[in-house]
Amino acid sequence: MKNVKQAFFCILLASSALTTPIHANEMVNTSSISEDENDFYKYFHISKDEVDKLTEDAFQYADQAPLVSDKDQSASRTTVGTWSLRDGVICVSDAKLGPVNYGHAGIVAAAPYYNQTIEALNPSAGAQAVGGYWPSREDMQGRRIYQCGVIATSIEQDQQAAIMASQWIGKPYDWRSTLTTTDTFYCSQLVYQAYRLGAGYTLPHSTPGVIFPADLLHGGATELIYRYEP
């Protein structure tokens, strides 16, 4: 792996001094983030080492976990181990800032947002429907990328999660968003809320008050349906 990858679009960017919008195909200036990391760790009572271990453990698991068939092959138009376009599939990538890997997450969108994922990107962009197959996106270059499905839900529940996520397009980004907040979002919390409110299913998380992208990859709640390793 590269030592330093593109900046993560998930939790800490909300506190950085960004002055121009950032689109999915652009790099992010991370020079102002380090000062605000301490606020993040204090806010959630977690250390940098704990975040890095949580994420790396999840990615190591995802690197070795068997790939399973998606729930609905006709809807996803895929074979085992290929990118799924089925509504509500969870997408996760790694994303490093210096030595710490925070990851990024999104959810495959429902109509009319065809071939898009809904993601809470950064403070300037907020929640957006972003087009493109993740491995081909410029902002995803060099990242490990995964898709997973929630084991306990039905195809219909997953679709409702995707529809719920679409209702939040344009909402602001804030890493201080809680696990009940629906007026602001960060990336993995948007996925969490989509499933909690849209599908009626609460995804497990390892740290009180916050859900990391890594939490979406393991814990017995999800199963891996796609893996890309650069």
Side-chain angles (χ1 to χ4, degrees), residues 155-172:
I155 293 169
E156 291 73 22
Q157 285 176 293
D158 296 346
Q159 184 178 53
Q160 289 303 309
I163 291 170
M164 179 64 67
S166 70
Q167 297 177 16
W168 298 324
I169 291 172
K171 291 282 188 177

Side-chain angles (χ1 to χ4, degrees), residues 50-63:
E50 288 173 317
V51 174
D52 198 40
K53 186 178 188 308
L54 166 69
T55 307
E56 285 304 320
D57 285 351
F59 289 146
Q60 286 180 19
Y61 161 78
D63 288 342

Side-chain angles (χ1 to χ4, degrees), residues 138-200:
E138 184 177 342
D139 62 308
M140 295 288 181
Q141 295 307 298
R143 297 191 191 187
R144 293 172 289 181
I145 296 169
Y146 312 92
Q147 284 187 311
C148 55
V150 178
I151 297 170
T153 57
S154 66
I155 293 169
E156 291 73 22
Q157 285 176 293
D158 296 346
Q159 184 178 53
Q160 289 303 309
I163 291 170
M164 179 64 67
S166 70
Q167 297 177 16
W168 298 324
I169 291 172
K171 291 282 188 177
Y173 180 108
D174 191 342
W175 60 260
R176 295 175 181 85
S177 302
T178 71
L179 297 183
T180 58
T181 300
T182 56
D183 53 353
T184 61
F185 295 94
Y186 57 83
C187 67
S188 43
Q189 179 251 3
L190 185 148
V191 176
Y192 175 91
Q193 291 290 63
Y195 266 90
R196 187 178 74 88
L197 299 175

Side-chain angles (χ1 to χ4, degrees), residues 28-102:
V28 180
N29 182 346
T30 65
S31 59
S32 61
I33 295 176
S34 58
E35 181 178 340
D36 297 297
E37 281 189 274
N38 288 333
D39 291 339
F40 171 80
Y41 298 125
K42 289 177 182 177
Y43 190 84
F44 289 113
H45 305 287
I46 192 170
S47 72
K48 185 179 298 186
D49 289 343
E50 288 173 317
V51 174
D52 198 40
K53 186 178 188 308
L54 166 69
T55 307
E56 285 304 320
D57 285 351
F59 289 146
Q60 286 180 19
Y61 161 78
D63 288 342
Q64 300 171 7
L67 295 176
V68 302
S69 300
D70 196 6
K71 294 176 184 176
D72 185 354
Q73 290 294 310
S74 63
S76 61
R77 304 192 299 279
T78 64
T79 56
V80 175
T82 57
W83 185 259
S84 175
L85 296 174
R86 183 173 63 81
D87 299 350
V89 167
I90 296 171
C91 309
V92 178
S93 77
D94 64 3
K96 277 199 170 186
L97 177 65
V100 182
N101 193 346
Y102 297 90

